[in-house]
């Protein structure tokens, strides 16, 4: 999936969409959908993205940059749910790399 905010991309929205599709192709991902968020007309920014992720059972979301998320930071709850890839800078935030919460009990090998 791709995700971009109209208010962040501005006139570069079409370029950002093209870059998202390009990165998906380079990574060998089957591109399913593009979620374009416009704060003038839609509910909270991540609500539609999370709904589409669930509906399509998406494994990853590609964004032009972290600036497309509130505060310029990729939400930890999104990383727990799926891999997040930014176009600029080229970075991947994989689910398996998410550190446990500080109050989580340590896991032992062989236990789930």
């Amino acid at each position: 999936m791709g995700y971009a905010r109209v208010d962040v991309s501005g006139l570069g929205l079409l370029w950002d969409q093209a870059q998202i599709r390009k990165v998906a192709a380079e990574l060998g991902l089957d591109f399913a959908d593009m979620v374009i968020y416009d704060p003038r007309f839609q509910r909270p920014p991540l609500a539609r993205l999370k709904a589409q992720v669930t509906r399509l059972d998406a494994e990853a979301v590609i964004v032009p940059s972290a600036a497309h998320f509130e505060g310029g930071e990729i939400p930890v709850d999104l990383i727990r749910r799926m891999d997040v890839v930014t176009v600029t800078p080229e970075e991947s935030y994989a689910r398996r790399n998410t550190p446990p919460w500080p109050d989580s009990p340590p896991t032992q090998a062989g236990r789930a």
Side-chain angles (χ1 to χ4, degrees):
M1 291 198 59
Y3 176 73
R5 291 179 54 139
V6 171
D7 58 326
V8 176
S9 291
L11 296 175
L13 182 60
L14 292 176
W15 172 257
D16 284 346
Q17 290 180 56
Q19 294 304 302
I20 287 169
R21 290 178 190 278
K22 178 182 171 198
V23 167
E26 289 172 352
L27 294 174
L29 299 173
D30 182 20
F31 190 82
D33 194 17
M34 180 78 69
V35 174
I36 305 298
Y37 173 74
D38 188 336
R40 298 173 297 169
F41 305 110
Q42 296 168 329
R43 56 189 174 178
L46 294 179
R48 185 166 164 232
L49 176 61
K50 289 178 181 178
Q52 284 294 85
V53 164
T54 300
R55 187 175 75 75
L56 297 172
D57 196 26
E59 295 283 329
V61 64
I62 303 169
V63 296
S65 70
H68 287 258
F69 294 109
E70 193 167 326
E73 293 184 23
I74 298 170
V76 173
D77 64 324
L78 188 63
I79 298 171
R80 278 198 204 108
R81 195 172 201 174
M82 65 191 324
D83 296 344
V84 179
V85 178
T86 56
V87 175
T88 305
E90 294 178 20
E91 292 189 67
S92 294
Y93 302 85
R95 286 173 281 183
R96 63 186 174 277
N97 292 337
T98 304
W101 287 102
D103 59 338
S104 298
T107 59
Q108 296 178 356
R111 296 185 69 191

